[in-house]
Amino acid sequence: DADVTQTPRNRITKTGKRIMLECSQTKGHDRMYWYRQDPGLGLRLIYYSFDVKDINKGEISDGYSVSRQAQAKFSLSLESAIPNQTALYFCATSDRLGATDTQYFGPGTRLTVL
Amino acid sequence: QQQVKQSPQSLIVQKGGISIINCAYENTAFDYFPWYQQFPGKGPALLIAIRPDVSEKKEGRFTISFNKSAKQFSLHIMDSQPGDSATYFCAATVSGGSNYKLTFGKGTLLTVNP
């Protein structure tokens, strides 16, 4: 969905490096999420934010941190990347007032940690 | 604790056949059950969703069947087409709450052979 953009789309980094994945949205949604996708494990929630001042840990937050710079921007950081953080990362948004509770996903960032 | 169990992990169907993907949940508070479809290289996108006040919802060739007493729901794809080849995720949540987030199944990779 072009309304949710992620940068970079692909990234190769080395163990121990700090890396930031960025997400921007033009949908005007309050809620934003970071997921990682691994084969056979589905989508697992890393962090989520319901507004600029609200940050919550998901089921697999260890080794990750986030920053909600504005309503439209939500960044995910790996302070010291390790190989088992190699995965496909997705940002998503949803509307607090939405009756359908639909989440809109970005195109993903493929991260490889060597 | 996996709150939404999805099966099968992969499925191969011939063109024109019926594809069936099953999900079971544990949390009786869940009241919104969406299915997401993900094509290679793309983020997941909402396909169809159901609330437990109905036992079935149909949109074109896609149908969700819901069994509240068994805590199970399934996606049926009628007249499956090669263009339906994708990964399908079921999900569940307590909608409208202050802590809204989706719990996803692990996904099913559907291949429809021509």
Side-chain angles (χ1 to χ4, degrees):
Chain A
D1 190 326
D3 296 326
V4 183
T5 58
Q6 294 183 234
T7 56
R9 294 294 313 278
N10 290 282
R11 180 72 182 268
I12 300 174
T13 190
K14 295 183 178 180
T15 297
K17 295 291 187 181
R18 184 180 188 274
I19 185 169
M20 179 180 289
L21 309 182
E22 298 185 334
C23 176
S24 296
Q25 53 110 349
T26 58
K27 301 187 77 68
H29 289 168
D30 290 319
R31 299 179 173 187
M32 299 187 74
Y33 310 80
W34 275 105
Y35 293 91
R36 69 177 276 176
Q37 182 177 9
D38 299 275
L41 297 180
L43 292 160
R44 294 183 291 168
L45 185 62
I46 306 172
Y47 271 95
Y48 59 105
S49 170
F50 286 172
D51 64 42
V52 175
K53 296 181 180 180
D54 177 76
I55 302 290
N56 303 280
K57 292 183 177 181
E59 60 182 295
I60 55 163
S61 60
D62 287 348
Y64 301 95
S65 62
V66 291
S67 173
R68 185 83 183 264
Q69 300 96 323
Q71 185 201 39
K73 296 184 182 295
F74 192 34
S75 299
L76 175 72
S77 294
L78 287 67
E79 297 301 326
S80 180
I82 57 177
N84 75 1
Q85 291 178 312
T86 293
L88 191 53
Y89 290 85
F90 287 101
C91 173
T93 74
S94 69
D95 185 354
R96 180 204 317 169
L97 300 179
T100 59
D101 296 326
T102 300
Q103 289 195 11
Y104 297 86
F105 285 78
T109 294
R110 184 168 296 280
L111 176 66
T112 302
V113 183
L114 302 177
Chain B
Q1 179 187 8
Q2 182 187 358
Q3 295 192 55
V4 179
K5 294 184 178 181
Q6 184 172 347
S7 63
Q9 187 172 359
S10 62
L11 179 63
I12 300 174
V13 175
Q14 293 299 118
K15 178 182 177 181
I18 302 173
S19 303
I20 302 174
I21 305 171
N22 300 299
C23 285
Y25 63 96
E26 299 167 3
N27 187 348
T28 57
F30 287 153
D31 64 352
Y32 178 70
F33 303 88
W35 285 88
Y36 281 76
Q37 179 187 53
Q38 182 185 27
F39 293 108
K42 304 292 185 180
L46 179 67
L47 177 64
I48 187 173
I50 196 168
R51 296 190 185 275
D53 53 340
V54 296
S55 61
E56 185 175 283
K57 183 173 182 180
K58 184 175 181 179
E59 292 185 0
R61 296 184 293 107
F62 299 90
T63 299
I64 300 178
S65 297
F66 185 82
N67 185 329
K68 188 174 182 178
S69 61
K71 294 188 287 186
Q72 295 176 347
F73 59 110
S74 59
L75 176 69
H76 295 238
I77 306 174
M78 310 301 289
D79 187 26
S80 299
Q81 299 297 311
D84 297 329
S85 296
T87 298
Y88 293 81
F89 294 97
C90 62
T93 189
V94 178
S95 66
S98 60
N99 196 30
Y100 163 70
K101 56 186 185 294
L102 289 170
T103 298
F104 285 91
K106 293 187 175 182
T108 296
L109 177 61
L110 172 65
T111 302
V112 181
N113 289 326

